[in-house]
Amino acid sequence: MNSVVGSKPLFSFEFFPPKNEEGAERLRRTRARLTELGPAYFSVTFGAGGSTRDRTLETVLEIQREGRVAAAPHVSCISSTRAELLDLLTTYRDQGVRRLVALRGDLPSGAGGGLGEFRYAAELVALIRERFGDHFSIEVAAYPEFHPQAQNAEKDLEHFRQKVEAGADSAITQYFYNADAYAAFLDRVRAMGVTIPIIPGIMPVTNYTQLARFSDACGAEIPRFMRKRLEAYGDDTASIRAFGVDVVSRLCERLLDNGAPGLHFYSMNQAAPSEAIWNNLGIGNRG
Ligand code: FAD
């Protein structure tokens, strides 16, 4: 069922670009710790509508200069012009970047606020392939619990297939806590002829209020047994973290045992939660 059974699982960490020098220093410390785990790459998010364009670029270039782990910038096309995107992509190519996470991006809030020349991620993937050939390895987003704005589940799967046909090499999922949602998504897209690796996105649990807010916005479900336990812990962050590490480690273990081709950790710029899960899984000894 899985197209990459037998190959070594691929592990990666995602960061957001820090807002100030203090955040940049904190991220350097996080990166130094996570570098020791030997991930395949560090990805860096891109704020809606290009709002973090310069900070994303700076963070990516800093990772590239360190030269220990490859950097993979996220690039979102909504609210950008073709010329702006080509300029950014050319900079990344010239700086030796070989992997991109290509997205539509979240729609700007409020009416108006120009959407730019691109409507969907598939158009960005097509542009990258048209102008840069095979230089970049392209990751796209996948939604095992469906994208919140999808017209319906079937159309969402069809739109995912279109991104793959436009030239994506691999996909990273929105986070989920229900391994069956991932398995069902894989079954459906494999039946539609999609063979690329689909890497589960993993969100460690550290702060329930923040997680609940994110999950509402992005359509990821927090199962009732998790919500009830997390609510009961209140302000007891140590218990929230311990429970989170336990639940997410079990999820990752199940995913890898069932043949997931790797894991992509939404690190939230923190090392400890991902490290704890990593150590529970004995990832260094897998593959
Ligand atoms: P698309 O694949 O274009 O899909 C968006 C919606 O449009 C879906 O509902 C889809 O079904 C629908 N659709 C697609 N094609 C068509 C069509 N032809 N006709 C009608 N409907 C269509 N956001 C950021 O702003 N910055 C980031 O750095 C970032 N990183 C992310 C990383 C990962 C791994 C993931 C999973 C998400 C990330 N996001 C990021 C969030 C993402 O930008 C949002 O979820 C966004 O709303 C959709 O982006 P997409 O690339 O999945 O869009």
Side-chain angles (χ1 to χ4, degrees):
M1 197 171 73
N2 195 316
S3 64
V4 289
V5 163
S7 55
K8 205 169 176 321
L10 191 127
F11 300 103
S12 50
F13 295 99
E14 179 172 309
F15 305 126
F16 56 84
K19 286 196 177 64
N20 51 35
E21 189 45 39
E22 193 190 333
E25 204 36 61
R26 206 174 321 120
L27 180 56
R28 283 182 199 113
R29 289 196 294 273
T30 293
R31 278 208 311 272
R33 281 168 65 172
L34 296 179
T35 295
E36 295 305 315
L37 305 179
Y41 65 91
F42 287 147
S43 83
V44 185
T45 62
F46 190 82
S51 55
T52 67
R53 187 190 145 113
D54 292 345
R55 287 189 279 123
T56 299
L57 179 64
E58 248 172 62
T59 309
V60 165
L61 297 187
E62 189 175 319
I63 296 170
Q64 286 288 106
R65 276 196 303 273
E66 281 168 6
R68 296 188 63 193
V69 177
H74 295 208
V75 178
S76 76
C77 58
I78 207 79
S79 306
S80 291
T81 64
R82 186 182 165 90
E84 283 166 345
L85 288 168
L86 287 175
D87 185 47
L88 183 62
L89 294 165
T90 303
T91 304
Y92 284 138
R93 183 198 58 197
D94 294 349
Q95 294 295 329
V97 168
R98 300 305 302 257
R99 185 191 297 268
L100 301 170
V101 182
L103 303 145
R104 181 192 72 176
D106 282 321
L107 299 175
S109 51
L115 294 182
E117 294 172 57
F118 295 81
R119 282 173 315 158
Y120 300 113
E123 297 164 28
L124 174 62
V125 174
L127 175 75
I128 298 168
R129 284 287 174 244
E130 177 201 316
R131 298 298 289 265
F132 299 92
D134 288 335
H135 176 83
F136 294 111
S137 173
I138 305 177
E139 309 280 335
V140 289
Y143 300 86
E145 295 177 322
F146 304 102
H147 185 264
Q149 288 146 13
Q151 289 148 293
N152 62 49
E154 282 308 302
K155 288 202 169 133
D156 206 31
L157 294 171
E158 177 52 30
H159 296 143
F160 175 71
R161 191 172 66 82
Q162 286 168 8
K163 286 196 283 202
V164 176
E165 285 185 347
D169 294 292
S170 176
I172 302 169
T173 74
Q174 183 57 274
Y175 66 87
F176 57 88
Y177 296 104
N178 177 352
D180 289 335
Y182 172 76
F185 180 84
L186 271 192
D187 283 350
R188 289 293 295 123
V189 300
R190 296 289 181 241
M192 295 168 85
V194 169
T195 58
I196 62 166
I198 297 174
I199 305 215
I202 301 300
M203 180 69 92
V205 179
T206 54
N207 175 325
Y208 177 55
T209 315
Q210 192 186 48
L211 183 70
R213 189 161 31 85
F214 277 170
S215 303
D216 282 347
C218 72
E221 190 175 61
I222 308 177
R224 184 178 162 85
F225 83 95
M226 284 180 66
R227 276 195 287 121
K228 289 287 174 196
R229 292 282 299 273
L230 290 165
E231 277 164 16
Y233 290 133
D235 293 336
D236 178 358
T237 42
S239 297
I240 292 175
R241 282 176 183 240
F243 173 69
V245 167
D246 184 46
V247 169
V248 177
S249 299
R250 282 171 205 251
L251 169 70
C252 294
E253 189 161 33
R254 184 164 163 208
L255 293 167
L256 291 172
D257 287 349
N258 288 341
L263 300 172
H264 178 79
F265 289 88
Y266 294 107
S267 80
M268 306 301 287
N269 292 11
Q270 298 175 39
S274 303
E275 275 172 345
I277 297 165
W278 185 285
N279 292 333
N280 278 350
L281 295 172
I283 284 179
N285 307 320
R286 283 185 184 250

